[in-house]
Amino acid sequence: MAHAEDQQTVGTLLRGAQVCGPSGVPEVGDVLLVGTAIAAVARDLGGVPGALPVAEVDAAGHLLVPSFVDQHSHPTGGGGGGGPETLSFPIPFERYAAAGIGTVVGCSGNDSVVRRPEALLARVKGLRRLGLNAHLYTGEIGYPPETITGSIRRDLALVDEVRGVKAAIGGRGSIVRRSQLADLAGEAARGSRSAGRAPVLHLHVEPDVAGIRLVARAIAHGDVAPETVTVTHVNWNDAVLDEAIGLAERGVNVDVTACIRPEFFPGTIDPLVALRALLDQVDAARVTISSDAGGNHPDGHGGPDGHGALVMHQPDLLADIFAAGLRTGLLAVPELVRVFAANPAARLGLTDVGAVRVGARADVLLVEADSGRIASAYLAGRRVVAAGQPVVRDQAQNLPAEGSR
Ligand SMILES: [Zn+2]
């Protein structure tokens, strides 16, 4: 029984899409979302839903892929490293939704002193209420880190939304010695054990290759278990990317950053080019991409300090790279599904997202097969994007419309 999407329904039947299941290879089929989960995936669900009141959607011409899993983002807004005027704004729910992101892990950055980790936790809880599968890392840029409960170990053990530990390696005021990294890894291991989870150590590396080399030395000396480590921002330059390839060969997860791109930061490696290089040289299961949304960079024009106005990085950057990868064919569809969804989900130990399969959270996207544009997004079974536009919104800002002032 077909129902219009605005009638009372218990689910949605997406018909005739090119469904990218766990293999990532597109095959024409139907996907049934019931409640918050994927209830059925089949070549032709025909009359299977029977009397179930479900909304039917013609998904022909679209790839049906799992929502993206963004393991590095700043939902409270990042920045702040160049003075209070460089603090970014919080990212509204609909920016994540429209960018195809279903799962996000929030980070503290240079803003950690003035925006306590409790603020990040509260924002994560709020995004969850709106339907996003949101988590956070304890830890931050500085070392020793600000925490919620007073220690990394307690944060991991006691706060369910805390999925792992973030730290920065090599910058001033960050981790600069092997012993510090070993201490942090020990705290992460003990706290994760108390939480009953695998440890996740998410390590920000600087453009200076000394930082990522410190990670390599710590792993070589057995201070840190490689499979617990993700190094992020590996596309700063060729030297950092080469070190990342070496680390991936030892079992470390390597994460490309969508907002590190030559247009924003001269001399950096285009994210798609970095992904292609990694996929050609290391185990594909080790390779991921994240947005780092919430950070910013000066555009070089007309800022108050003469260095340029700030441009804030939005989650859309991730969707742009997915679309470019699809259009150019630089990454095959199964590779895109892996690096944007399946691999980061596995890295985070999240078993209910990252794949289109029965029982998974109903976080799926319909992507126009030719343009790569995200046409529709569903989060926990609820449609949050339709015809490319968000239909569920965060707080509207009470500002007069442009031109009406
Ligand atoms: Zn960041």
Side-chain angles (χ1 to χ4, degrees):
M1 196 188 300
H3 294 251
E5 284 199 71
D6 53 357
Q7 285 180 280
Q8 275 298 324
T9 56
V10 298
T12 305
L13 178 57
L14 304 167
R15 284 226 190 257
Q18 297 171 46
V19 179
C20 302
S23 74
V25 178
E27 289 177 62
V28 174
D30 298 343
V31 174
L32 176 64
L33 317 178
V34 175
T36 60
I38 298 176
V41 181
R43 171 72 190 81
D44 180 4
L45 280 169
V48 171
L52 274 184
V54 295
E56 283 203 32
V57 175
D58 176 5
H62 294 80
L63 291 171
L64 192 155
V65 299
S67 297
F68 304 149
V69 176
D70 183 6
Q71 62 181 319
H72 185 126
S73 184
H74 298 268
T76 51
E85 75 279 23
T86 67
L87 285 165
S88 308
F89 304 118
I91 299 171
F93 166 82
E94 62 266 23
R95 296 300 290 254
Y96 285 114
I101 294 165
T103 295
V104 67
V105 189
C107 304
S108 277
N110 281 311
D111 57 337
S112 55
V113 170
V114 293
R115 280 198 281 237
R116 296 275 316 153
E118 291 89 328
L120 178 58
L121 174 60
R123 182 73 188 133
V124 161
K125 287 175 184 283
L127 289 170
R128 282 188 178 201
R129 291 270 177 102
L130 290 164
L132 202 65
N133 184 27
H135 306 262
L136 72 152
Y137 300 113
T138 181
E140 42 128 344
I141 290 276
Y143 191 85
E146 302 281 345
T147 63
I148 299 163
T149 64
S151 86
I152 293 280
R153 187 179 169 190
R154 280 205 295 272
D155 280 6
L156 284 163
L158 297 174
V159 184
D160 196 48
E161 292 88 348
V162 172
R163 202 71 220 173
V165 182
K166 180 205 170 174
I169 312 294
R172 241 179 243 123
S174 302
I175 287 180
V176 290
R177 286 195 297 278
R178 262 184 52 213
S179 60
Q180 294 170 322
L181 187 49
D183 287 348
L184 185 79
E187 282 274 290
R190 284 191 295 273
S192 301
R193 209 176 300 141
S194 299
R197 289 180 179 151
V200 176
L201 260 181
H202 187 84
L203 303 179
H204 154 123
V205 296
E206 295 279 316
D208 183 339
V209 76
I212 195 168
R213 284 189 179 145
L214 178 67
V215 179
R217 282 207 308 284
I219 285 168
H221 283 84
D223 301 335
V224 188
E227 68 278 7
T228 66
V229 173
T230 298
V231 285
T232 187
H233 310 331
V234 300
N235 50 319
W236 277 127
N237 51 52
D238 287 337
V240 171
L241 191 66
D242 283 349
E243 289 288 334
I245 288 166
L247 283 173
E249 285 164 354
R250 309 189 67 144
V252 170
N253 298 275
V254 292
D255 187 50
V256 170
T257 298
C259 75
I260 296 179
R261 48 171 81 193
E263 311 94 276
F264 296 173
F265 302 103
T268 59
I269 304 172
D270 177 87
L272 263 184
V273 172
L275 285 174
R276 185 69 268 156
L278 289 166
L279 289 166
D280 286 343
Q281 293 178 74
V282 305
D283 177 357
R286 303 265 80 93
V287 182
T288 56
I289 185 167
S290 60
S291 72
D292 203 3
N296 51 42
H297 73 277
D299 72 353
H301 310 287
D305 60 358
H307 296 302
L310 288 174
V311 177
M312 184 174 156
H313 306 143
Q314 292 291 346
D316 326 31
L317 292 168
L318 204 57
D320 289 351
I321 292 169
F322 184 93
L326 190 68
R327 281 197 312 271
T328 60
L330 199 59
L331 268 68
V333 172
E335 290 177 321
L336 288 165
V337 171
R338 287 189 89 165
V339 301
F340 282 78
N343 289 353
R347 171 74 283 260
L348 297 164
L350 299 170
T351 53
D352 60 340
V353 296
V356 176
R357 57 173 169 68
V358 172
R361 220 178 99 105
D363 292 354
V364 299
L365 309 176
L366 293 178
V367 177
E368 289 174 0
D370 47 359
S371 69
R373 194 181 74 105
I374 295 166
S376 302
Y378 295 81
L379 284 181
R382 180 166 71 144
R383 191 175 58 161
V384 294
V385 174
Q389 297 301 316
V391 291
V392 176
R393 288 185 181 275
D394 216 317
Q395 297 167 37
Q397 297 185 50
N398 185 19
L399 295 171
E402 289 288 338
S404 70
R405 266 162 276 189

